[in-house]
Amino acid sequence: MIGVRSAERSATDGSAAGVRAGAGVWLVFAATLLAGTMAGFFWSFSIVVMPGLAALDPLDAMAAMQAINAAVRNAVFGLVFAGAIVSCLAVLVLAAIHRRGAWSWLALAGAAVYVAGAAGTTVGFNVPLNRMLEPLDPRLAENAPVMLGYLEDWTRWNHVRTLASLAAFILFSAALVAAATGRGGRASGR
């Protein structure tokens, strides 16, 4: 992976390094967009959805969250969620292999933060909490305390993945700026 200016020069000569460089820049750009999209998605839950559910009767909130969890299982969300993880894993590998300049370290950090902080938190905490909630009957009063605990725990972990996604977006953006301005050091696709 190389800087944007070098990638543009190399890509015009058709060299393999130029093709790899251009692909690497686009990969970091894709990871930036996808991490930013997920940051916005998670952020909306932290500041709107979960406080709104907390204002409801716990059993009404349970029924609403079960409906949200069912609705989020769709192709568009799946593509963005999985795309963010895959693009970050690819950036992680490429940046680890081609550690040349500040831009690659920024990209490496962004990918690591996203994979551990956003994807890891989702898979390790939010999804298991959702699975625990799924079979519960929102008509049974004894499930109200479970929902209150769920709201607290799920929201806390959502804040973690929101901040991780936002941090990854900022780090990826800084990497792109460093690569584009040549301030990230000389990078090479070789």
Side-chain angles (χ1 to χ4, degrees), residues 12-78:
T12 59
D13 68 12
S15 69
V19 172
R20 283 194 310 270
V25 169
W26 283 107
L27 183 60
V28 174
F29 182 69
T32 305
L33 292 178
L34 292 166
T37 300
M38 291 309 302
F41 178 80
F42 296 145
W43 179 76
S44 67
F45 270 84
S46 283
I47 68 156
V48 176
V49 175
M50 299 313 282
L53 291 176
L56 295 175
D57 175 85
L59 297 176
D60 292 337
M62 179 181 285
M65 191 65 185
Q66 288 171 332
I68 290 168
N69 287 337
V72 80
R73 293 185 206 120
N74 67 69
V76 175
F77 177 78

Side-chain angles (χ1 to χ4, degrees), residues 82-95:
I85 295 169
V86 169
S87 66
C88 286
L89 288 172
V91 167
L92 193 64
V93 170
L94 285 175

Side-chain angles (χ1 to χ4, degrees), residues 62-175:
M62 179 181 285
M65 191 65 185
Q66 288 171 332
I68 290 168
N69 287 337
V72 80
R73 293 185 206 120
N74 67 69
V76 175
F77 177 78
L79 284 172
V80 174
F81 181 75
I85 295 169
V86 169
S87 66
C88 286
L89 288 172
V91 167
L92 193 64
V93 170
L94 285 175
I97 292 169
H98 302 290
R99 292 184 312 267
R100 294 190 178 99
W103 74 273
S104 62
W105 289 104
L106 290 165
L108 182 71
V113 166
Y114 189 88
V115 169
T121 298
T122 298
V123 172
F125 298 100
N126 294 92
V127 170
L129 286 167
N130 290 344
R131 287 188 179 143
M132 178 273 306
L133 187 69
E134 188 173 9
L136 299 180
D137 187 341
R139 296 169 294 180
L140 300 177
E142 62 263 21
N143 288 333
V146 174
M147 185 60 188
L148 293 173
Y150 170 91
L151 287 168
E152 184 178 319
D153 293 343
W154 195 97
T155 303
R156 179 182 326 109
W157 289 114
N158 191 66
H159 293 333
V160 170
R161 65 188 185 167
T162 300
L163 293 173
S165 299
L166 182 58
F169 174 79
I170 291 167
L171 288 164
F172 286 143
S173 297

